[in-house]
Amino acid sequence: MAAFHHILGAFFQALIIAEVILGQSDREVLRELKSFLQAQNPINRGAYDTWSEAEVSPCRLQGVGCDAAGRVSYLDLSSSSIAGPSFGNFSRLNRLTHLDLSANSITGQLHPDLKHCRGLQYLNLSSNLIGGALDVSTLTNLRILDLSQNRFQGDIRTNFPSICRNLSVIAVSSNNLTGRISGLFSGCSKLSDVDLSWNQFTGKAVWKGVERLTRFTATANNLTGVIPSSTFPKGCKLQSLDISSNQLSGSFPNSIANCTSLKTLSLWNNSFGGSIPPGIGSIAGLEELGLSSNQFHHKIPLELMNCTNLKNLEISRNTFGGEVQQVLGKITSLKSLVLQGNNYSGGIVSSGILQLPNLIYLDLSFNKFSGKLPNEIASMTSIESLVLANNNFSGKIPPSYGRLLRLQALDLSYNNLSGEIPPEIGNLASLLLLMLAGNQLSGEIPREIGNCTSLLWLNLVGNQISGKIPPEMTNMGRNPGPTFAKNRRNPSLIKSATSKCFAVYRWVPASYPEFDFVESMMMSQKNCLTMWNRLLMGYDILPVSSPLRTALGYVQLSGNLLSGEIPSTISAMKNISLLLLDGNRLSGHLPSEISSMQLVALNLSNNSFSGQIPFTVGHLNSLESLDLSWNNFSGALPSSLGELSKLSTLNVSYNPLLSGEVPNTGQLSTFNEQSFLGDPLLSFHSPAAPSPHSNDNQPSTYGTEKHPTNEEITVLVVTFLVCFSATFVIRELQSFVYLYHVALRKITNFRNL
Ligand SMILES: *[C@@H]1O[C@H](CO)[C@@H](O)[C@H](O)[C@H]1NC(C)=O
Ligand SMILES: *[C@@H]1O[C@H](CO)[C@@H](O)[C@H](O)[C@H]1NC(C)=O
Ligand SMILES: *[C@@H]1O[C@H](CO)[C@@H](O)[C@H](O)[C@H]1NC(C)=O
Ligand SMILES: *[C@@H]1O[C@H](CO)[C@@H](O)[C@H](O)[C@H]1NC(C)=O
Ligand SMILES: *[C@@H]1O[C@H](CO)[C@@H](O)[C@H](O)[C@H]1NC(C)=O
Ligand SMILES: *[C@@H]1O[C@H](CO)[C@@H](O)[C@H](O)[C@H]1NC(C)=O
Ligand SMILES: *[C@@H]1O[C@H](CO)[C@@H](O)[C@H](O)[C@H]1NC(C)=O
Ligand SMILES: *[C@@H]1O[C@H](CO)[C@@H](O)[C@H](O)[C@H]1NC(C)=O
Ligand SMILES: *[C@@H]1O[C@H](CO)[C@@H](O)[C@H](O)[C@H]1NC(C)=O
Ligand SMILES: *[C@@H]1O[C@H](CO)[C@@H](O)[C@H](O)[C@H]1NC(C)=O
Ligand SMILES: *[C@@H]1O[C@H](CO)[C@@H](O)[C@H](O)[C@H]1NC(C)=O
Ligand SMILES: *[C@@H]1O[C@H](CO)[C@@H](O)[C@H](O)[C@H]1NC(C)=O
């Protein structure tokens, strides 16, 4: 018996020694991994850089976790500034179950070695630059697979059904994958969460079995066809279904009523027709319903009023005309209602939508509404964003709108409004955005507008506003902090539905070339919304390295009849980055105080400004675009302009009294004659330096390239938001992953004891 014990003891000892040796081998792999990553990334490095050779157990290295036997089972190298090709020896960590390489810049194809990591249950390669064909078919233990935001291409079907067995979550959004998805997941019995968005998948959107998932997202693919009623049988578990931006058609099946757990249903941007399925009304928990950009029948089923939790409803861009449907006024839980881009012509008051007690966002823009602006709006005490743009409203802006004390965005632009801007506007202390462009407004800018301490985005372009710019106005937007703070405390209030971006697009002066780069990022609706929310909360919308921070406000007064001088108090407008006063009758000297602003773009063209261009203009060190053309400026160009290192657009043309030599210092040396047309008294330096007259083949001459017209000067700020939002989201998730990892390490350490 003792002998037996002895043998058994020796056996276990051998096992332990084997484990130790294997553990040594894990250490060895991690050592190789570290030096591989260090060699690939000589400058920026992640946490792996701190991995110490002296550490006895690899389990205590940052980002590493072990199983009960002390073998490495968990490796998190997310957001570790890894660039270049993938490490090729992960498979030697043969107990690895969790591998996270997300949010790096790993390039090349999926490394063949990964196919041998057969024990992987969690693989996250999202947000890298990995391309080529996707073959993970050998990873049959996967439970969670995230490959989103890469460059994978080709047919995804080669991986199915082999990876199905334990697969619960699959996310492959934003790649270039193809393949018919019909039936693809039939064998994946444990699947619950699928995100296929932003690829080129084809086939039918949904297959028998989709009802077993909790979440299915396939936005922006090439899915076609009609969805059969049998898709949503009894017991449907879906909580979120997003098949927007495909080419689906036919009626949407009423059997959706069987998906009683549904919270989000997004069908927008397809070709669904017929009536909106009344069955939706029996989904009591539904919170978001996106039906925009389809061809649904005008009659909205009364049953919808039984969706007592419906917060966001979007039915823009259907072919609805005539009166706003009565049922909409009965969905009292609504916080956001977007009817934009239909042909509605009446029924704003009679439908009851103005009495919805919880409404904070109402968008009726791009319809055929006419007549006076309804006075009843003044009683909408909960409203925060009111968008009535691009209709044919006429008459005056009701002074009673000054009672909408919660209002943060008021967009009445491109209507036929006349009369003066009511001074009551000054009561709106929470107002962040005021768009009145493209009307027939006249009279003076009320001085009370200076009481709008949150107002950062003002656009009055293309009216007949006259008189002086009131000095009090320069107080606007001086302290948006309280409004931002309120929105930060209450972020759920501004969680938005699907296509608010249409309005956001117009609010951003995206035509400014400085901000081009963001345009592509606006493509994704998700980014656009995050951006808008960030905007309302006053978060930074550009990377920290940029001098343009939070505010990025604008004052756009182009194309009016304003006269007199720019008040010297303009220096108070510290939060305004874009000042567009072109096409008015402004005169006098440009006050030197303007240099206290933090301007990115200044346009004073087509006015009657005179005198010298103040030397201090050269202190506007964020300035990227300066247009002083068509004025009467005189004297020499200040040499300080050369210090504007960011200046990419300069236009001082048609100021015939400008004289002297154009300094060829700094940035000034980069502009050609296009910037100085019609200035006969200006002379240029001798050819020693590149002469502005002889540099036709110089690549970077932006000169008068961009001269914003009234049309162009529409909507800037939000464009930025997008760019930052992506980083923001990643950061949030990173911290989540980090916490998860910390927790896991604690467990591991505990086991090691
Ligand atoms: C992987 O391990 C092999 C030895 O098994 C070694 O020759 C090779 O250099 C390693 N590759 C990398 C990328 O470290
Ligand atoms: C995968 O599924 C099989 C069979 O359903 C099961 O035995 C196994 O434990 C699962 N593996 C994991 C890692 O969940
Ligand atoms: C996607 O794939 C198509 C054809 O396979 C190719 O033309 C296109 O450039 C790819 N797009 C991206 C973003 O990789
Ligand atoms: C998807 O649709 C777009 C346009 O709708 C088309 O250009 C593209 O070729 C289609 N891709 C596939 C794989 O069918
Ligand atoms: C609508 O979907 C199509 C693809 O079906 C896409 O090309 C288009 O950009 C989408 N529209 C919007 C506004 O997202
Ligand atoms: C729910 O699904 C069953 C089949 O499971 C079907 O007979 C029924 O019509 C569906 N309900 C609705 C409202 O369509
Ligand atoms: C709403 O639900 C109630 C009870 O659930 C029902 O009696 C009523 O008929 C429903 N209304 C509509 C319009 O479907
Ligand atoms: C609105 O009506 C006009 C004709 O009156 C039509 O041409 C246009 O397509 C309609 N627009 C929408 C969005 O229904
Ligand atoms: C706008 O409304 C006015 C009446 O208020 C009408 O005369 C005019 O034709 C309408 N314009 C359009 C484009 O519908
Ligand atoms: C603006 O209103 C006037 C008078 O109501 C009308 O004559 C004119 O046609 C309207 N303009 C537009 C663009 O509808
Ligand atoms: C509002 O503005 C007017 C005119 O500028 C000023 O006299 C008044 O004191 C302001 N009211 C408040 C409450 O700030
Ligand atoms: C993958 O990693 C990204 C970025 O680190 C994270 O946002 C995402 O939630 C992860 N995916 C899963 C399914 O855990």
Side-chain angles (χ1 to χ4, degrees), residues 121 141 143 165-166 190:
Q121 296 172 20
N141 284 306
R143 287 194 287 127
R165 188 174 54 152
N166 292 342
K190 295 184 182 164

Side-chain angles (χ1 to χ4, degrees), residues 92 196 230 236 504 511 559 581 642 659 662 704:
R92 281 168 54 206
L196 306 176
S230 58
C236 167
V504 173
S511 61
L581 304 176
S659 60
V662 176
T704 52

Side-chain angles (χ1 to χ4, degrees), residues 18 21 35 61 89 91 118 123 216 218-219 270 278 313 321 329 336 339 358 458 470 598 608 660 710 739:
I21 292 168
S35 45
L61 300 175
N89 275 331
S91 66
R118 290 170 199 267
L123 176 60
F216 181 69
T219 189
N270 278 289
L313 176 60
S336 168
L339 306 182
N358 301 304
L458 174 66
Q598 279 152 25
S608 302
N710 290 355
L739 286 178

Side-chain angles (χ1 to χ4, degrees), residues 167-467:
L167 199 63
S168 159
V169 177
I170 179 168
V172 295
S173 68
S174 300
N175 279 285
N176 205 352
L177 292 163
T178 58
R180 290 182 67 81
I181 62 165
S182 329
L184 188 63
F185 303 106
S186 308
C188 307
S189 59
K190 295 184 182 164
L191 205 55
S192 77
D193 189 336
V194 174
D195 186 354
L196 306 176
S197 40
W198 300 93
N199 280 288
Q200 291 181 40
F201 292 118
T202 50
K204 295 255 174 80
V206 278
W207 70 100
K208 226 174 150 27
V210 76
E211 82 278 4
R212 292 197 314 261
L213 306 182
T214 52
R215 194 171 79 109
F216 181 69
T217 307
T219 189
N221 278 287
N222 281 24
L223 306 177
T224 50
V226 173
I227 299 181
S229 180
S230 58
T231 310
F232 308 111
K234 279 217 153 53
C236 167
K237 287 199 202 129
L238 283 167
Q239 292 173 14
S240 169
L241 177 64
D242 182 354
I243 46 177
S244 56
S245 291
N246 281 286
Q247 289 129 51
L248 298 159
S249 54
S251 309
F252 190 79
N254 196 48
S255 58
I256 191 69
N258 278 325
C259 304
T260 49
S261 309
L262 211 55
K263 287 191 164 155
T264 301
L265 178 59
S266 184
L267 307 178
W268 79 279
N269 196 14
N270 278 289
S271 301
F272 290 116
S275 52
I276 296 172
I280 292 177
S282 60
I283 309 172
L286 194 68
E287 292 178 5
E288 293 192 23
L289 180 58
L291 303 175
S292 302
S293 300
N294 280 291
Q295 284 110 51
F296 284 111
H297 190 273
H298 178 273
K299 196 165 162 359
I300 300 178
L302 265 180
E303 284 82 352
L304 235 54
M305 60 186 267
N306 269 353
C307 293
T308 48
N309 284 296
L310 192 59
K311 295 186 175 65
N312 301 328
L313 176 60
E314 303 217 358
I315 51 175
S316 43
R317 301 185 184 204
N318 279 275
T319 45
F320 299 153
E323 307 265 300
V324 173
Q325 296 91 333
Q326 303 261 339
V327 59
L328 298 178
K330 300 197 167 84
I331 311 174
T332 51
S333 52
L334 282 180
K335 288 184 165 181
S336 168
L337 179 61
V338 181
L339 306 182
Q340 176 258 10
N342 283 291
N343 266 343
Y344 288 117
S345 53
I348 297 183
V349 175
S350 60
S351 66
I353 57 172
L354 301 183
Q355 273 144 40
L356 289 169
N358 301 304
L359 207 61
I360 61 174
Y361 189 98
L362 178 62
D363 184 348
L364 303 178
S365 61
F366 290 89
N367 278 290
K368 296 249 163 72
F369 294 114
S370 58
K372 289 197 161 29
L373 287 171
N375 255 318
E376 288 81 351
I377 284 180
S379 311
M380 300 182 77
T381 47
S382 57
I383 197 81
E384 292 180 8
S385 296
L386 179 64
V387 188
L388 305 177
N390 293 81
N391 281 289
N392 188 18
F393 288 112
S394 54
K396 296 188 170 177
I397 300 175
S400 57
Y401 285 17
R403 297 209 302 261
L404 297 169
L405 296 184
R406 296 201 184 176
L407 210 54
Q408 298 192 12
L410 177 61
D411 185 352
L412 307 176
S413 54
Y414 303 102
N415 278 289
N416 201 355
L417 300 169
S418 54
E420 301 192 0
I421 301 173
E424 286 79 0
I425 213 91
N427 298 341
L428 304 178
S430 299
L431 199 63
L432 290 164
L433 177 127
L434 179 60
M435 296 268 301
L436 302 175
N439 283 290
Q440 262 102 91
L441 297 169
S442 56
E444 303 193 359
I445 299 176
R447 6 181 234 127
E448 288 78 1
I449 205 165
N451 291 350
C452 298
T453 48
S454 294
L455 186 57
L456 287 178
W457 303 296
L458 174 66
N459 186 340
L460 306 179
V461 171
N463 282 285
Q464 280 118 50
I465 297 168
S466 58

